[in-house]
Amino acid sequence: MSFYDDIYRLAAAIPLGKVATYGQLAAMAGRPRASRIVGTAMLHAPKGLPCHRVIYRDGTLCCDQAFGGKAIQRQMLEAEGITFREDGRVDLEAHLWDGL
């Protein structure tokens, strides 16, 4: 199984109402310093994978190239019950996936 396959398996397991960080998925796949590779994997992910649930470690959303922009990603997350702090970041205390 490739690293990308591991990342896709993990991303598919992120439950509704939860998010994971690029670094978190990299660490869970055994390559804790490969968060940028996780980002690349998300750009090439199979259709239907909940890539919108993968965010930066500080709770900020992805780059503007993905999902049609940050506003679209935010709408997708809010539709799943994800809440945001006043500064626009995801409330990680409430929504960070524990990987279980």
Side-chain angles (χ1 to χ4, degrees), residues 26-39:
M28 291 171 73
R31 294 182 60 187
R33 298 182 51 82
S35 58
R36 288 183 184 213
I37 297 171
V38 172

Side-chain angles (χ1 to χ4, degrees), residues 61-83:
L61 301 181
C62 185
C63 55
D64 284 325
Q65 297 93 318
F67 315 109
K70 291 179 183 176
I72 301 296
Q73 184 181 14
R74 182 175 176 138
Q75 288 172 357
M76 294 169 77
L77 291 171
E78 286 178 330
E80 296 182 353
I82 301 292
T83 57

Side-chain angles (χ1 to χ4, degrees), residues 8-32:
Y8 296 150
R9 178 184 51 78
L10 289 165
I14 303 168
L16 191 72
K18 295 292 182 182
V19 295
T21 68
Y22 294 101
Q24 178 184 3
L25 294 185
M28 291 171 73
R31 294 182 60 187

